[in-house]
Structure formats: C-alpha cells, structure tokens
Amino acid sequence: MKMSLSLRLLLAAAITTTLALVATVFVFNFLFRVYFEEQARDELETYLLLLTGNIGVSAVGEVEVTPISDSRFNQALSGYYWQIQVDDEDPVLSPSFWAAPLELDRPVAPGIVSFTNVIMGTGAAVAVANWVITIGEGDMQREVFLAIAIDREDLDVSVSGFFKNSVIWLAILGLFLFVASWVQVKLGLNPLNKIRSEIARVGKSPEVRLSSDYPSEVLPLIEEVNQLLDANAEALKRARSRAGDLAHGLKTPLTILLGVERKLRRGGNAALADDLMSEITSIQHTVERELAHSRDSHQILRRCAVHPIATRLHRALSRQPGTEHLQWDIEVPETLHIPFDEFDLTELLGNLLDNAMKWSESRISINAGLDGSHGFLSVDDDGPGIPDTAISTVLKRGGRLDAQVPGAGLGLAIVSDMAHAHGCTLSLQRSSLGGLSARITWVVSGA
C-alpha cells in the first residue's frame, strides 16, 4: 500500500525534529560542561595565585606558608585542598587532606599553570591546577611546586542534572513540535482535499469547473485541470455530433430497406422479409440510441423493464434460419427493472443472445431476478463454454477463441463496456447447462 502524502510529511517532520532535538541535547550538554570546566579552572587559578602570594622565605632560607583564609582548606575532606613541595622535600599538605599526597607531573617550565584531573587516595576525582615557581635569591633560592585541587563531584553532578533536565524539556518541546507539524500538514494539505471534493462534483455535474480560490502554488494545477475538462467536453461534444450525423445518415438507407422488406412480403417471401426486418430493427435500435445520446449529452440514468425486451428478442431471434433446434427457457419477473434504457438493454442482451446462439447445441436460458441487494440478468447456454484462462481474451475487442465461428469478436467486449458504463458488472462462468453463463449484476436502489 502506498504511503499517503500527509504521513510522508509527518514522518519527515518527526525524523528531522528528533534528529535536531537529539543534536541539541548533546550540543547543550557539551557547552554546559565546557562552561563549568572554565568556571572551575578560573576558581582553581584564583586559589593558586592566592596560595602563591602566601608563600615566602625566612631569613634562614626556609619556606614559610601562610594558610589561605578560606575555611574549606582547613576542614577535613571538604573537597578543597592545597599541596606544596619545596625542591625534593616531602610535600606540605593542607589540613583538609586525609589521604596521601597527589602524584602530579611537574610542568616543564616555571610560571606556567597546568590543569589536570587526578584520583585521590580516597578514590575521589579532583580537578587540579599546579605550577612551579622560584622564590628567594642566590643561595637561598628555592623551587616550589604548588597545587590546588577541588572535588569534581559537584561539577559532574551539575552536568549530569543539566543533561537529564534538558532531555525532559526537549522531549516536551519535541511533542509540541510534532503536534505543530501535524497541524501544519493538515492546513497545508487542505487545498488538496478541496480539489478532491470539487473533482467529485465534476464527476456528478460535468459542466462544473474547479474554482480559483486556491493558493498561488496550486493555481497552475487548477488551470490545467480546467483546461483538460474543457478539452474533454469539447471532444465529447464533437464525438456525439458525429454519432448523431452518422445516425441521421443511416435513416435514408433504412427507409429503402424497409421498402424492400415490404416488397418481399407482398411477393410472398415472408421468411426472407422476416429476416430482413429483424436486421432492420436491430439497426434502428442502434440508430435511435445514438440519436437519443446525441440529444441528451449528459445521459441521465434511465431504467427499463427486462421482461418485454427479453420476450421481444426471443421472438425475433427464434425466427432466424438454423435456430429451429434451439429450446428457449425464459424466467424473468415482469416487475424487474435494470439501469439501462430500452435501446441499450436491447443491444446488451442482443449481444449476449447472439453469442449464446453461435455456441449453443440445443438450449438457451434467460434468467433474471433479485439476489439480496443486487439484481441479476444471465444468459446461459449448453455449448462448450469458455476456459477460465481465456476469459480475459474474449473480453478484449477482437478477441476470439475459434476463428471458424462467424463474428468479429466484439460482442462480449461491448457488453462489458456497456455494463461498466451503467454501474453494472459482467461475469463469465460455467453454466449449469454445461456451457457459458454470462451474468450482469447491479445494485438495486433502495435495497
């Protein structure tokens, strides 16, 4: 099944929105982490400079440290630590240390602040800023390695919390955007729904055209459709005019043939006159039908009784030469009506009976009636029938199973076209008589 345009647009909107929101979550999380890392580094550098300012050399050359006033460096395991190492001596640790000294690589050059992350002996991760400075002069000059450490737990918790909150809120935003996309698609496709409804009205009233109340992007399509409808109406008008002209042109030859029929009958050749009259009647039906169609360009749906047409055709066809051996069974309710006018039904049923007479061995049956909400009209024969694999062939114009049997291979194709044009269905199947059963079905109005 093909996917609808609205579903395609909604899927495209959902996919692109989801990708954009997922990318936004990760980008925001990255930027938030970078921001907090920079804040942490600024804080570490500030404390490192403060600690550096609290270091001095005594008169005897010893390094002296004045504690940082921030009480967190004096509180055990507070998360704020400093470490000082003079030359290769053991490090001096802040009172907040309750673990082994930090194992740090010294910077390659004095005066350059280095930032890193390490794991303390307690297992806590800390962010560290360190550098090497020299103090004192001459023989009392000393190299001092200073480090400030801050617990990373608060930083990591803040970043993790921001990530969770951003996922929740962006999911809500995604839901809102999806609903907005659905509304946008519905509003955007409204012109197509309007086109569909107007085209449906054109099907019921061919003179109706599509309106021009459409967005500018759709107007070229509307104009093309209206031009196509106008061209089709003009072509149909010309075809009906030519059919009417042809029908009028045949009236004079038919009048002459009627005169010939009367002469034959007066001359005592009644059988030949009957055969000629049967063919004249058939041609007249066709002519009258085309004239009726040319007068009524819209072909309002008509209905007619089946029984009179079936009876008349039976009388006419049973008198043809070579049909004396055929047995006719007619079971048609007198009250049954079919959605054809008399001329169309005469042509349709005449084609079915003509086909049955060509193939029947001894028996032809005409049945009609109601089957639930459907009406049916069937013509059965006891001939050889049609294989299921050949049904599509005989329904094509010119399709024939036996070239030795007279005919042009048009009868069943014409019947199929006429049935479809009148909202009916033609089905071909095996008859209870052994041959072919051609069955016309239609929906009964009001059933």
Side-chain angles (χ1 to χ4, degrees):
M1 187 177 82
K2 293 185 178 179
M3 189 182 299
S4 67
L5 181 58
S6 59
L7 183 56
R8 292 183 184 182
L9 293 175
L10 287 174
L11 284 177
I15 292 173
T16 54
T17 300
T18 301
L19 291 177
L21 292 177
V22 169
T24 301
V25 167
F26 285 102
V27 170
F28 277 7
N29 185 68
F30 172 76
L31 294 177
F32 190 79
R33 179 178 290 276
V34 168
Y35 171 77
F36 269 85
E37 293 281 358
E38 290 179 352
Q39 290 292 102
R41 288 189 177 189
D42 290 342
E43 185 178 11
L44 286 169
E45 190 170 0
T46 299
Y47 281 122
L48 182 62
L49 294 175
L50 183 60
L51 179 63
T52 302
N54 289 355
I55 294 177
V57 180
S58 65
V60 294
E62 293 182 355
V63 176
E64 297 179 341
V65 180
T66 303
I68 298 177
S69 59
D70 193 328
S71 61
R72 289 176 293 184
F73 289 96
N74 299 318
Q75 181 181 349
L77 300 177
S78 64
Y80 283 74
Y81 314 98
W82 56 258
Q83 175 177 308
I84 301 174
Q85 185 178 13
V86 180
D87 294 331
D88 293 327
E89 299 174 1
D90 292 334
V92 178
L93 305 178
S94 66
S96 57
F97 258 104
W98 273 37
L102 300 175
E103 295 182 2
L104 301 172
D105 296 329
R106 292 198 177 196
V108 295
I112 299 177
V113 179
S114 176
F115 297 95
T116 186
N117 296 313
V118 298
I119 303 297
M120 296 181 63
T122 60
V126 291
V128 179
N130 59 82
W131 69 349
V132 173
I133 62 172
T134 56
I135 59 175
E137 297 179 357
D139 295 337
M140 292 187 296
Q141 189 177 49
R142 311 292 295 274
E143 184 179 81
V144 183
F145 181 28
L146 302 96
I148 293 289
I150 297 178
D151 196 339
R152 288 190 55 89
E153 182 179 0
D154 291 340
L155 172 63
D156 293 336
V157 169
S158 298
V159 173
S160 177
F162 177 81
F163 180 79
K164 293 178 181 179
N165 291 331
S166 62
V167 168
I168 293 173
W169 284 108
L170 287 177
I172 296 174
L173 176 61
L175 180 61
F176 171 78
L177 292 176
F178 182 78
V179 173
S181 298
W182 180 82
V183 174
Q184 184 179 10
V185 168
K186 289 299 180 183
L187 293 177
L189 294 182
N190 269 343
L192 297 184
N193 295 328
K194 184 179 179 182
I195 290 175
R196 182 171 59 184
S197 62
E198 290 195 353
I199 288 179
R201 288 197 298 116
V202 170
K204 297 178 181 178
S205 303
E207 73 280 358
V208 174
R209 294 294 178 266
L210 304 186
S211 66
S212 59
D213 185 20
Y214 286 96
S216 58
E217 294 83 359
V218 184
L219 276 179
L221 172 62
I222 301 301
E223 295 173 355
E224 291 291 336
V225 171
N226 284 335
Q227 291 175 8
L228 180 61
L229 291 173
D230 291 338
N232 182 69
E234 184 63 28
L236 186 59
K237 181 179 179 181
R238 288 197 301 267
R240 285 172 176 157
S241 297
R242 294 182 65 181
D245 294 342
L246 176 61
H248 280 290
L250 288 174
K251 292 187 72 68
T252 298
L254 285 175
T255 302
I256 295 174
L257 289 175
L258 284 173
V260 173
E261 184 269 339
R262 285 194 294 271
K263 289 181 181 180
L264 290 173
R265 196 174 297 280
R266 286 196 298 269
N269 199 343
L272 183 58
D274 288 341
D275 292 342
L276 181 58
M277 188 60 189
S278 177
E279 297 302 323
I280 292 174
T281 302
S282 177
I283 296 175
Q284 282 180 326
H285 286 162
T286 303
V287 170
E288 291 300 329
R289 187 194 65 190
E290 294 301 330
L291 288 175
H293 288 178
S294 66
R295 288 192 298 267
D296 182 9
S297 61
H298 303 306
Q299 294 196 39
I300 300 174
L301 185 62
R302 297 182 176 88
R303 304 178 69 83
C304 71
V306 179
H307 186 271
I309 306 297
T311 303
R312 188 175 70 228
L313 285 173
H314 165 246
R315 286 200 302 264
L317 295 175
S318 63
R319 292 198 297 265
Q320 289 186 358
T323 62
E324 298 82 1
H325 67 289
L326 293 178
Q327 176 186 345
W328 295 73
D329 299 322
I330 303 177
E331 295 183 9
V332 180
E334 295 186 1
T335 57
L336 181 67
H337 286 70
I338 191 170
F340 289 81
D341 62 24
E342 294 182 359
F343 301 117
D344 284 343
L345 180 58
T346 299
E347 180 176 355
L348 180 140
L349 188 54
N351 276 294
L352 291 179
L353 292 175
D354 179 66
N355 184 76
M357 292 170 64
K358 290 176 183 177
W359 298 98
S360 178
E361 295 181 1
S362 62
R363 189 175 176 186
I364 295 176
S365 175
I366 304 175
N367 295 280
L370 296 177
D371 183 7
S373 62
H374 289 75
F376 69 91
L377 169 63
S378 65
V379 174
D380 296 13
D381 63 66
D382 60 350
I386 298 176
D388 292 341
T389 56
I391 289 178
S392 59
T393 300
V394 299
L395 291 178
K396 295 178 181 178
R397 290 186 174 270
R400 303 175 63 188
L401 297 183
D402 190 348
Q404 301 300 320
V405 177
L410 297 175
L412 291 178
I414 292 174
V415 170
S416 178
D417 291 343
M418 293 180 66
H420 179 74
H422 288 75
C424 302
T425 302
L426 169 66
S427 60
L428 303 179
Q429 54 195 6
R430 177 66 63 177
S431 168
S432 60
L433 301 179
L436 176 67
S437 175
R439 185 182 180 95
I440 301 293
T441 57
W442 66 93
V443 177
V444 178
S445 301

